[in-house]
Amino acid sequence: MSFFSHLECSVPCGAGPYDPRREQHLCTCGAPLLARYDLKAARAWRRESLAAREPTMWRYREMMPLFDGETPLTLGEGWTPLIHAVRLGRDLGLSRLFVKDESLNPTNSFKARGLAAAVTRAASLGAKTLSVPSAGNAANAMAAYAAAAGIDAQVFMPKDVKVPFIRECELYGANVTLVDGLITDAGRIAAETGKPLGWYDVSTLKEPYRIEGKKTMGYELGEQLAWEFPDWIIYPTGGGTGMVGMWKAFEEMEAIGWKTPGRRPRMVSVQAEHCAPIVRAFDEGKERSELFPDARTIADGLRVPKAIGDFLVLRAVRESRGTALAVSDADMVRGMRDLGAIEGISAAPEGGAALHAARMLADRGAIKRDDTVVVFNTGGALKYLDVLSMSNAEC
Ligand SMILES: *Cc1c(COP(=O)(O)O)cnc(C)c1O
């Protein structure tokens, strides 16, 4: 039984509620919309019922944007391993270091979770063409799920995107447009092109369901740690969907009795040295970020100079008593090599960044030896192998 009920402004500004049985994007005030559930009724749902379920993110379907009778579109996303990285932990001086390995999702990154949810909803609303601006991984995931749904896909990526991302979109039959500029420019051009044609825009946080897919990472952490939540979550942040989603998951689990209210994991937002709008806003005590000038980094997923949900990420970081840290490109590559050579894990630069941030916090003594730490490896190394041959001088 689904507890999905309505959509609400994330600020909240007072407009709405919005009807999820129609296509919805942003609130009239311009802020992202959030999916809401009948939490009172959901208190009757027992977490013990999960044990017999399929190993995908849809095991939490009662708290997903699905109405009764709807079937999710799935390629097996979610329920990724939470690896106790004992050897790497020894190296960092941590006894309980875990890596949530999101590289094992369809299309090699956690973008599969968000896009599986967004494309499922778009398909049930009868969308004919989907469009997305992307630094690479979101485009691959969207193209795959659109193919599985039999819907046309239009992707817009910066023209310096790595070739494997372009080829994989083509593999799934998507139409690729390369844009001169950053993901923010790709977003503008995608909207200008698609609006008059009635394309359904699945940009990060510009539709409400990618958050719902990514929030399942929070549910999984609970289930995989026997409902003892971690002390720290170290998360490489671009648009921030995963941070916002996991924070929402903790709130929901507290409301339905799956988590003791109160102590939540400290959320650490990790960004790139030359693209760190959230880190800058956090350090300056601001509620929103400013467009980061000349944004550049080898971690394509982190090259987001200004995120529409920045205030939600900053809220989660502050309310959790977490922090925000920037990592250099050279240190990301070092993190990738450590995950690879010490644990056998294939990591994207974003995952390398998260590991390096854990190392920095452990070195400073912020993270204590026996704290439970979860580092998110948000994607695999294969589409980024060129960065391994870069010299430190180039990084
Ligand atoms: C998109 C992406 C990120 C950033 O994710 P958000 O949830 O949008 O902040 C991190 N890592 C990888 C590999 C990505 O593709």
Side-chain angles (χ1 to χ4, degrees):
M1 196 184 99
S2 167
F3 300 115
F4 184 34
S5 60
H6 63 282
L7 299 169
E8 193 175 81
C9 177
S10 57
V11 170
C13 73
Y18 294 86
D19 178 8
R21 296 185 190 265
R22 295 175 46 190
E23 184 173 335
Q24 303 287 1
H25 292 276
L26 294 171
C27 180
T28 49
C29 77
L33 292 175
L34 296 175
R36 294 299 184 197
Y37 300 81
D38 183 346
L39 298 173
K40 229 186 193 150
R43 291 189 69 89
W45 182 33
R46 299 267 159 260
R47 60 192 194 194
E48 289 72 26
S49 71
L50 297 172
R53 297 204 176 178
E54 76 276 28
T56 75
M57 71 175 194
W58 299 101
R59 60 201 283 110
Y60 311 106
R61 61 169 293 153
E62 283 90 333
M63 291 291 283
M64 295 287 282
L66 272 185
F67 288 111
D68 288 340
E70 289 177 349
T71 308
L73 186 66
T74 181
L75 294 169
E77 56 290 329
W79 202 244
T80 54
L82 182 67
I83 297 164
H84 188 181
V86 176
R87 280 161 45 81
L88 199 46
R90 214 172 283 143
D91 189 44
L92 268 66
L94 299 175
S95 68
R96 293 180 52 77
L97 175 69
F98 292 84
V99 177
K100 181 71 169 155
D101 192 4
E102 291 292 304
S103 74
L104 293 164
N105 277 300
T107 73
N108 228 216
S109 88
F110 71 161
K111 290 292 193 301
R113 295 179 188 261
L115 273 308
V119 179
T120 290
R121 210 66 242 123
S124 48
L125 292 168
K128 299 275 178 296
T129 303
L130 304 182
S131 83
V132 76
S134 168
N137 281 321
N140 287 172
M142 194 277 257
Y145 289 97
I151 302 177
D152 286 343
Q154 296 283 347
V155 308
F156 294 79
M157 296 187 283
K159 73 174 192 308
D160 58 356
V161 66
K162 295 183 198 310
V163 174
F165 290 110
I166 303 175
R167 295 289 172 265
E168 193 171 336
C169 285
E170 291 168 351
L171 177 72
Y172 301 129
N175 189 45
V176 177
T177 305
L178 297 177
V179 171
D180 197 1
L182 298 179
I183 186 164
T184 29
D185 304 296
R188 183 175 38 79
I189 290 169
E192 283 167 10
T193 315
K195 201 158 197 159
L197 299 170
W199 295 352
Y200 185 114
D201 185 353
V202 290
S203 303
T204 311
L205 299 181
K206 291 191 186 165
E207 61 75 57
Y209 305 113
R210 285 174 63 175
I211 294 180
E212 296 306 291
K214 280 198 181 165
K215 86 177 179 191
T216 58
M217 298 187 295
Y219 282 82
E220 282 176 27
L221 287 183
E223 198 180 347
Q224 290 176 318
L225 290 169
W227 309 103
E228 297 285 331
F229 290 83
D231 298 298
W232 298 86
I233 289 178
I234 321 278
Y235 185 87
T237 311
T241 339
M243 291 285 273
V244 175
M246 283 191 279
W247 197 245
K248 183 171 187 285
F250 299 140
E251 191 180 294
E252 289 172 357
M253 285 188 280
E254 288 176 4
I256 66 173
W258 287 19
K259 179 184 176 304
T260 319
R263 214 187 63 100
R264 291 192 194 169
R266 292 183 183 224
M267 308 294 282
V268 179
S269 176
V270 183
Q271 298 203 295
E273 182 180 28
H274 295 298
C275 184
I278 301 277
V279 177
R280 193 169 275 181
F282 178 78
D283 288 343
E284 293 173 354
K286 298 208 171 114
E287 254 173 69
R288 288 185 189 257
S289 66
E290 270 159 46
L291 185 80
F292 202 92
D294 304 320
R296 63 200 150 79
T297 168
I298 56 166
D300 303 278
L302 305 187
R303 205 165 54 145
V304 182
K306 161 89 186 158
I308 179 171
D310 52 2
F311 66 105
L312 297 169
V313 177
L314 286 157
R315 252 188 225 170
V317 170
R318 291 197 174 108
E319 282 178 25
S320 73
R321 298 172 305 129
T323 189
L325 288 179
V327 171
S328 73
D329 283 3
D331 285 333
M332 291 181 200
V333 173
R334 178 181 171 203
M336 288 172 79
R337 290 188 191 284
D338 286 348
L339 281 157
I342 305 178
E343 291 291 343
I345 293 171
S346 169
E350 292 85 345
L355 178 69
H356 190 76
R359 189 187 286 281
M360 288 163 73
L361 291 170
D363 285 349
R364 285 182 198 169
I367 299 182
K368 302 283 182 287
R369 190 184 160 76
D370 297 322
D371 286 354
T372 301
V373 182
V374 173
V375 164
F376 269 87
N377 178 37
T378 47
L382 286 180
K383 297 179 212 179
Y384 302 81
L385 290 177
D386 59 332
V387 306
L388 295 177
S389 54
M390 282 166 84
S391 71
N392 279 347
E394 280 174 283
C395 274

